[in-house]
Amino acid sequence: LYGVDINPLAVELAKLSIWLVTLAKGRPFGFLDHNLRSGDSLLGIHRLEQLTQLRMDTESGRQYQLRIFGQNVEAAVNEAIELRKRLRATTIRDIKDVEAMARLDREARRKLEFVELIADAMIGEALRCGGNAQALDTALDTLAAMAGDFLSGNEKMGEQIACQARANLAIDLPEDKPQRRPIHWALELPEVFTEGGFDAVIGNPPFVKGTSISGVLGAAYRKYIGNTLGRGKKASYADLCSFFLLRAHSLLNLHGSTGLVATNTISQGDTREMGLDQLFAD
């Protein structure tokens, strides 16, 4: 069982509610910490190839060469997967077992710190370029060179990448919104995607009308989800729920199913064209 929510408090409440529902009175609170994450589920990479090739559109059919640093990325992910497998195999008897699981989780996340930094920078460039494919390709080529320098031991380059990522992720961010925190699915929960993805995705996505997305989340964010999740389809007034539907679909394995709560607009106009029509075409 895995879960993601943009609100850290919702994640903590999920841990508590699942603990209560399972009536696991003999188990200490916290046994799902490693599987429940906080971040923006629409913002981030969902396949490892996107990072190893430093391209957002690896599913378009175009072929890209594995980047030099791609081998380092894959090695770090494989090490993290082994740690998470040990974590999942832990038998929980008392608080010491939970503490041991927490240590394994922290170690797995440390293995992926530099990988997540590059992934954040990649998403930041996609936000900054606003759908200009040529500009994005150029920006990602530059990022690839910087990442290679960083992984060769240049710590100052790592600081520069981090600074650039923070600035780009904040582009056009409404003043009342917290800092954007991408969820990189293939890095947060890597063992799931070595098996092709989730068996099922369920959720109750927030409702935002298509005409309000730019005002609520920023125009750069609206362009980003339209160009990445929406595959560039010109459905200007598609509600936010259609993008959650597309994201859920992208996370499934070949036999997976999706169940999302939505309003009746899911089957109407631009929202239908963006979401259900594209899924049906697949």
Side-chain angles (χ1 to χ4, degrees):
L1 179 66
Y2 300 88
V4 168
D5 198 285
I6 199 168
N7 185 344
L9 179 58
V11 174
E12 294 305 314
L13 290 173
K15 294 175 189 175
L16 176 59
S17 62
I18 292 170
W19 182 68
L20 291 172
V21 167
T22 58
L23 298 178
K25 295 177 181 177
R27 291 186 175 187
F29 182 56
F31 70 96
L32 277 176
D33 283 6
H34 59 290
N35 279 4
L36 299 180
R37 302 296 201 199
S38 178
D40 188 331
S41 58
L42 299 185
L43 195 65
I45 66 167
H46 65 284
R47 297 296 180 196
L48 191 59
E49 311 90 77
Q50 292 176 283
L51 188 57
T52 56
Q53 299 174 22
L54 264 190
R55 286 293 181 267
M56 297 296 296
D57 59 349
T58 56
E59 296 172 8
S60 67
R62 295 169 64 188
Q63 295 297 312
Y64 293 104
Q65 185 178 5
L66 180 71
R67 297 287 183 171
I68 294 174
F69 69 87
Q71 295 176 349
N72 300 74
V73 170
E74 289 181 341
V77 170
N78 287 335
E79 289 176 9
I81 288 172
E82 289 306 311
L83 288 166
R84 286 182 62 83
K85 284 181 178 178
R86 284 171 53 193
L87 190 161
R88 292 172 71 179
T90 302
T91 301
I92 303 170
R93 295 174 295 269
D94 55 37
I95 193 64
K96 290 182 180 178
D97 296 319
V98 172
E99 291 169 351
M101 293 172 73
R103 284 193 297 271
L104 287 169
D105 186 39
R106 286 194 299 271
E107 190 176 347
R109 300 202 75 157
R110 275 195 298 270
K111 294 283 185 186
L112 296 174
E113 279 180 351
F114 80 89
V115 181
E116 289 189 347
L117 172 59
I118 297 168
D120 281 354
M122 180 181 179
I123 298 303
E125 293 295 350
L127 278 165
R128 182 181 66 83
C129 291
N132 185 324
Q134 186 174 355
L136 180 57
D137 282 352
T138 301
L140 293 181
D141 285 339
T142 302
L143 177 60
M146 295 170 69
D149 194 15
F150 171 45
L151 296 180
S152 297
N154 186 343
E155 292 188 7
K156 287 189 177 296
M157 185 58 72
E159 294 171 5
Q160 185 177 334
I161 292 173
C163 182
Q164 196 169 297
R166 282 194 299 272
N168 287 338
L169 287 172
I171 285 174
D172 199 34
L173 180 67
E175 290 184 5
D176 61 334
K177 297 297 179 182
Q179 181 181 355
R180 293 185 179 119
R181 297 177 60 242
I183 281 287
H184 304 297
W185 293 88
L187 304 179
E188 292 281 355
L189 309 169
E191 69 276 13
V192 173
F193 295 94
T194 59
E195 300 171 3
F198 293 107
D199 296 313
V201 175
I202 61 172
N204 182 7
F207 179 77
V208 181
K209 288 198 295 187
T211 52
S212 302
I213 293 175
S214 293
V216 173
L217 298 170
Y221 187 96
R222 175 65 180 81
K223 286 182 181 178
Y224 171 87
I225 58 176
N227 287 315
T228 54
L229 296 174
R231 311 167 195 178
K233 187 173 183 62
K234 304 299 182 184
S236 303
Y237 301 108
D239 294 345
L240 190 63
C241 61
S242 62
F243 297 100
F244 277 92
L245 186 65
L246 292 168
R247 168 57 86 212
H249 184 67
S250 72
L251 300 174
L252 296 172
N253 61 36
L254 290 176
H255 306 288
S257 302
T258 306
L260 297 181
V261 177
T263 67
N264 59 359
T265 60
I266 196 73
S267 62
Q268 299 171 4
D270 277 10
T271 303
R272 186 202 70 236
E273 290 180 25
M274 179 62 76
L276 292 177
D277 281 1
Q278 293 206 77
L279 295 189
F280 185 75
D282 285 348

